[in-house]
Amino acid sequence: MTTVWMRYLSGADIDSLGITDADIVAAVEDVLADHGNGRVVFEPRTHLVPDNGGRGHFNVLRGSLTDKGVSGVKVVGDFVSNYERGLPSEMALISLFDPETGMPKAIVDGTMITEARTGAMTAVGAKHLARRDAKVLGHVGARGTAWWNVVLLDSVFDFAEIRVTSRRPESREPFAERLTERLGKPVTVCTTWEETLDGADVLVEASRLTEPEPLLRKEFLRPGSFLVPYGTISALALDLLDDVDKIVVDNWRESRSGNPRFGALRPHLNAGLLTEDRIHAEIGDIVAGHKPGRESETERTLFWHRGLSTTDLAVARMILHRAEAKDVGTMLPYR
């Protein structure tokens, strides 16, 4: 019988490969075009909620990239209070398979990939839906995906002003310091949502609430602003959509799937305030050129992305190819 080997890539292995910001954004934008052109198989996400007193849950994401020759599954935990144990709130593994034979190809540490592809999704959305002259970024949240949101957004826009906040001062202060060092420009620490978001050109909400709370209000949205809300538990006022001119999602089916508690706009869906006729497009249709993105300098646009398995697979595949070329990782015998 043929010997089958698969490659294991740890976080340290991935760090050694020299993956750039541009590599990540390009992989995500490319697979979004595949979405728009119908060249992916994209299964609904599911949730595994252990009996752990509400400490956290797992998201299970599945997909296949038709033109790129890879299928895969990601399992990622979402445990808000992990910081108390010195752990990331989101830790993941990605399994990659050959779609022609089912042969396992790789097991990849998916933590950095989850964070980076989320930031890349935010950046690609902004590239198509924010004003090209956007100068002020307001960002709520300091988790791993928040880092990549700010870094990759700034790689596209080179903001003149970046404001950040989070629930805990002990997280937001170091977050701003690390960003200042990475970006080579000052990052302002704010104490409230209002001073962080009000009047910003690009607003990102990556909060970690445990119960819905209307902290993000429509008054923060000025003409021409672009909003990305993706906290697991909603922080949006119910009337916020009244002042939004254009709503884009990553996938309408996914917007409605899974546990009805999870998702920034789930209360709006549950209340009948967000319906399919309010959706301008899925982001893949815009990236593929089938529908327009921003069409005026004054429209208020909102992009809600819940996470596409296909973006995880695209970034993991890019990393695997780089690792194969450099012979990085540990080869494991399958049988």
Side-chain angles (χ1 to χ4, degrees):
M1 182 175 288
T2 303
T3 301
V4 176
W5 293 81
M6 57 184 175
R7 191 177 299 266
Y8 170 66
L9 294 174
S10 69
D13 292 331
I14 296 171
D15 290 344
S16 74
L17 293 173
I19 304 298
T20 67
D21 297 346
D23 290 334
I24 296 165
V25 173
V28 168
E29 190 162 23
D30 181 55
V31 81
L32 289 176
D34 288 348
H35 263 270
N37 291 320
R39 303 299 296 163
V40 301
V41 176
F42 177 53
E43 298 290 343
R45 77 165 57 201
T46 60
H47 300 295
L48 171 63
V49 184
D51 185 10
N52 59 13
R55 290 185 180 88
H57 66 279
F58 297 95
N59 300 310
V60 183
L61 294 84
R62 305 159 291 161
S64 188
L65 311 184
T66 304
D67 295 336
K68 296 174 173 57
V70 67
S71 301
V73 177
K74 182 180 82 167
V75 180
V76 55
D78 192 346
F79 290 74
V80 176
S81 60
N82 269 4
Y83 68 88
E84 297 172 353
R85 305 185 183 193
L87 296 171
S89 61
E90 295 162 302
M91 293 182 282
L93 282 177
I94 300 172
S95 300
L96 300 179
F97 301 88
D98 184 331
E100 297 295 324
T101 65
M103 183 181 76
K105 299 177 72 170
I107 299 173
V108 185
D109 182 333
T111 302
M112 170 271 192
I113 292 172
T114 297
E115 295 172 353
R117 66 83 155 140
T118 302
M121 183 69 94
T122 301
V124 172
K127 178 179 175 181
H128 292 271
L129 292 164
R131 293 198 329 270
R132 293 187 181 276
D133 64 347
K135 293 300 181 185
V136 180
L137 168 64
H139 193 289
V140 173
R143 51 178 160 149
T145 56
W147 166 268
W148 286 101
N149 281 334
V150 177
V151 168
L152 297 182
L153 279 167
D154 192 63
S155 75
V156 175
F157 290 94
D158 189 19
F159 294 109
E161 181 181 358
I162 298 174
R163 315 171 194 157
V164 299
T165 194
S166 70
R167 180 166 52 93
R168 298 179 299 117
E170 61 269 29
S171 69
R172 61 181 178 247
E173 296 285 350
F175 181 59
E177 291 173 5
R178 290 190 299 118
L179 284 171
T180 295
E181 182 177 357
R182 168 67 183 269
L183 301 177
K185 64 178 70 174
V187 174
T188 302
V189 179
C190 301
T191 58
T192 67
W193 285 51
E194 183 170 12
E195 63 180 315
T196 305
L197 300 177
D198 191 16
D201 301 314
V202 176
L203 302 81
V204 183
E205 179 271 313
S207 63
R208 304 296 283 156
L209 301 182
T210 56
E211 295 294 335
E213 188 175 355
L215 296 170
L216 206 167
R217 306 189 304 274
K218 65 181 182 180
E219 304 92 82
F220 299 163
L221 302 180
R222 304 292 175 83
S225 59
F226 169 65
L227 169 63
V228 180
Y230 72 87
T232 302
I233 304 297
S234 180
L236 276 60
L238 276 178
D239 65 352
L240 181 136
L241 297 185
D242 293 348
D243 282 4
V244 173
D245 301 302
K246 183 175 287 180
I247 300 172
V248 174
V249 296
D250 53 4
N251 181 268
W252 176 237
R253 184 199 69 206
E254 284 299 279
S255 299
R256 297 168 291 155
S257 70
N259 190 305
R261 289 190 69 241
F262 300 148
L265 292 177
R266 285 311 290 258
H268 305 75
L269 274 168
N270 297 340
L273 300 173
L274 178 60
T275 56
E276 187 171 9
D277 61 359
R278 278 285 276 132
I279 303 300
H280 166 69
E282 294 180 352
I283 188 65
D285 292 325
I286 294 173
V287 173
H290 302 311
K291 289 191 176 180
R294 174 174 285 273
E295 297 178 271
S296 81
E297 293 300 299
T298 59
E299 68 182 5
R300 298 173 174 90
T301 56
L302 183 153
F303 176 38
W304 181 28
H305 58 85
R306 299 201 65 201
L308 301 178
S309 61
T310 50
T311 59
D312 292 297
L313 299 184
V315 176
R317 172 184 175 272
M318 178 266 291
I319 287 171
L320 175 60
H321 283 189
R322 189 75 59 87
E324 289 171 338
K326 295 187 175 184
D327 195 23
V328 169
T330 303
M331 298 305 296
L332 303 175
Y334 177 66
R335 64 175 302 151

